[in-house]
Amino acid sequence: MRQNRTSAPTNIDIAAAKADYTYTISKDFKVEAGVKLSSVTTENDYRFELFQQNGWISDPGKTNYFTYDEVIKAGYLNASKTLTKWNLQAGLRAEDTHSKGNSVTNNQI
């Protein structure tokens, strides 16, 4: 009979901050702006082991230590105007994302 065991501890750290601002120019015209920053870091240590003779040994084909980092920066600008029968709105959003996955076990980024 073949015995195996697994362990998969995972750490996840998430941080986020945002700020929004609204400026009313007149009763029918306003401008809004905002920024957001978020960061995610994960650490996965998946271990797969087989029992052979008198002890547990790691199965390198299934074991993997993997880290992932992601930072997102975003901003927006929006303007809205109310006309007699119409509401007009225009906006712009920009986002910059940096991410990196690293399989430490396989030495691959």
Side-chain angles (χ1 to χ4, degrees), residues 42-88:
T42 63
E43 200 175 350
N44 301 289
D45 190 7
Y46 185 75
R47 299 175 199 160
F48 191 91
E49 298 174 315
L50 303 169
F51 189 80
Q52 291 189 349
Q53 297 181 22
N54 356 346
W56 292 99
I57 62 164
S58 177
D59 182 344
K62 295 178 181 173
T63 297
N64 190 23
Y65 178 66
F66 183 80
T67 62
Y68 178 77
D69 297 300
E70 176 182 82
V71 175
I72 300 173
K73 295 172 269 185
Y76 75 93
L77 179 64
N78 189 52
S80 59
K81 171 104 172 121
T82 302
L83 303 173
T84 32
K85 293 184 178 184
W86 298 89
N87 291 321
L88 302 175

